[in-house]
Amino acid sequence: MMLSGRPLLDIRVDAEMFVDRDDERHRLATAATQGYNTLVWGEAGIGKTSLVRTFAYELRTSGRTVHYARVEGASRADELLRGVAATLPGDRGKAAGADVESLLRELGRDAERRVIILDDVSSAAGYQLFGLFRDQLWALPWTWIVAVRTEEKGGLLRAPATAFFERVIELGPLPPSAAVDMIRRRNGKRAPRWARQVATAAGGNPRRVLAVARDITENGGDADAVVGSLGRRAAAIQALGRPESMLAAELEALGAASASDEALLDRLGWTRARAAQVFATLESAGLVTSDEVRSGTGRPRRVFRLTPAAHWAT
């Protein structure tokens, strides 16, 4: 069973694995046709990247010019613009030292109508670009689709940035039937008998559904045991407190992280010492595991992962 939790890419074979979201795709298509800038938001793992990349594929096959940039970790408007510029043909706007005004002047020379998809935009960078430089962006012949996590949407839905987005789409959980279909398509066979049970227990979050399905297939197929452990693990994390719940949610989204990961610290607003402390609390409760990973000649990093539900016991 091929149950990778990776987001789908904007290629034909992945587009064929995309399930449901017909309403959201229709709303995106309508917005792109009418030239409306659109904000897509939802919790980590809910399928934002898969949605916008599948939509990018559909636009390209219909003859539209589309550029996709993942800008995770960008904290300033100039970083977002450089992410966009890197996808454009030629050297337009790619000067490493260019400030926002210079980048916008360079990009402003573009006369081609494009759809720009920015994925995983932070609240701070999004507010700066789409709020403070809103009028300059409006002058470009581009339509923007911007995807953000739930906790990052505040900056983009705050004046003056909120006026930039004529359409806002919330991406909610998959219904059980769609989650079962997702398992079937990624499996390449019939859906296993426990698929609906997993879809319900994982709350319709595609990344979590696939993680639980992998737990079951890798540990003897005992769906009842894995689903029960999933619930107890979630309760144990919540009982530890808000910091532990926040860090566990980030870890679920990232897959693995260390206390020195800048993207993780930026999202949480924590210091490295604070992250290390909360990681230690989770590890002492058996809720995360860690390995030392060496890269280069420096000291090895301790990288943490959530303990799979099938391996966690109270």
Side-chain angles (χ1 to χ4, degrees), residues 5 19 65 70 72 76 83 124 154 170 195 263 270 283 288 296 305-306:
V19 299
T65 301
R70 187 171 180 86
E72 179 182 11
R76 303 191 312 270
E170 178 184 3
W270 291 358
E283 189 170 31
V288 301
R305 293 175 175 80
L306 275 178

Side-chain angles (χ1 to χ4, degrees), residues 168-246:
V168 177
I169 298 174
E170 178 184 3
L171 204 58
L174 285 175
S177 59
V180 169
D181 190 26
M182 178 183 65
I183 294 174
R184 179 190 64 78
R185 293 191 191 197
R186 296 214 180 195
N187 181 24
K189 304 175 182 178
R190 295 176 60 184
R193 57 178 175 75
W194 42 257
R196 182 168 290 272
Q197 180 185 9
V198 166
T200 302
N205 180 295
R207 182 180 294 156
R208 197 175 301 129
V209 168
L210 292 170
V212 177
R214 284 197 303 275
D215 276 356
I216 293 170
T217 58
E218 293 169 4
N219 294 277
D222 190 347
D224 290 336
V226 172
V227 168
S229 293
L230 178 71
R232 291 191 296 273
R233 187 186 69 179
I237 291 171
Q238 185 176 18
L240 288 176
R242 178 170 170 75
E244 289 76 14
S245 297
M246 291 170 59

Side-chain angles (χ1 to χ4, degrees), residues 15-33:
E16 292 173 353
M17 287 196 291
F18 192 75
V19 299
D20 199 32
R21 307 300 192 193
D22 291 339
D23 177 63
E24 291 87 350
R25 290 158 77 180
H26 175 72
R27 292 167 66 188
L28 277 174
T30 300
T33 299

Side-chain angles (χ1 to χ4, degrees), residues 97-116:
D99 58 21
V100 176
E101 296 285 359
S102 299
L103 283 163
L104 284 170
R105 280 196 298 271
E106 183 63 28
L107 295 173
R109 295 165 48 198
D110 186 34
E112 183 169 352
R113 294 196 174 276
R114 308 178 189 272
V115 176
I116 306 295

Side-chain angles (χ1 to χ4, degrees), residues 20-142:
D20 199 32
R21 307 300 192 193
D22 291 339
D23 177 63
E24 291 87 350
R25 290 158 77 180
H26 175 72
R27 292 167 66 188
L28 277 174
T30 300
T33 299
Q34 297 177 343
Y36 291 148
N37 301 317
T38 303
L39 182 69
V40 179
W41 66 274
E43 69 175 9
I46 204 66
K48 299 180 296 299
T49 295
S50 292
L51 171 65
V52 297
R53 296 206 74 163
T54 300
F55 185 62
Y57 170 78
E58 293 171 350
L59 287 176
R60 286 196 188 98
T61 57
S62 69
R64 298 290 296 272
T65 301
V66 186
H67 303 270
Y68 170 88
R70 187 171 180 86
V71 290
E72 179 182 11
S75 58
R76 303 191 312 270
D78 62 298
E79 294 174 324
L80 297 183
L81 288 176
R82 276 194 284 274
V84 173
T87 71
L88 300 178
D91 296 323
R92 180 173 287 117
K94 296 178 184 176
D99 58 21
V100 176
E101 296 285 359
S102 299
L103 283 163
L104 284 170
R105 280 196 298 271
E106 183 63 28
L107 295 173
R109 295 165 48 198
D110 186 34
E112 183 169 352
R113 294 196 174 276
R114 308 178 189 272
V115 176
I116 306 295
I117 299 176
L118 277 185
D119 191 9
D120 211 2
V121 174
S122 72
S123 180
Y127 176 77
Q128 187 181 48
L129 180 60
F130 300 108
L132 304 183
F133 298 97
R134 182 188 64 187
D135 293 347
Q136 293 95 317
L137 294 181
W138 267 331
L140 292 169
W142 297 350

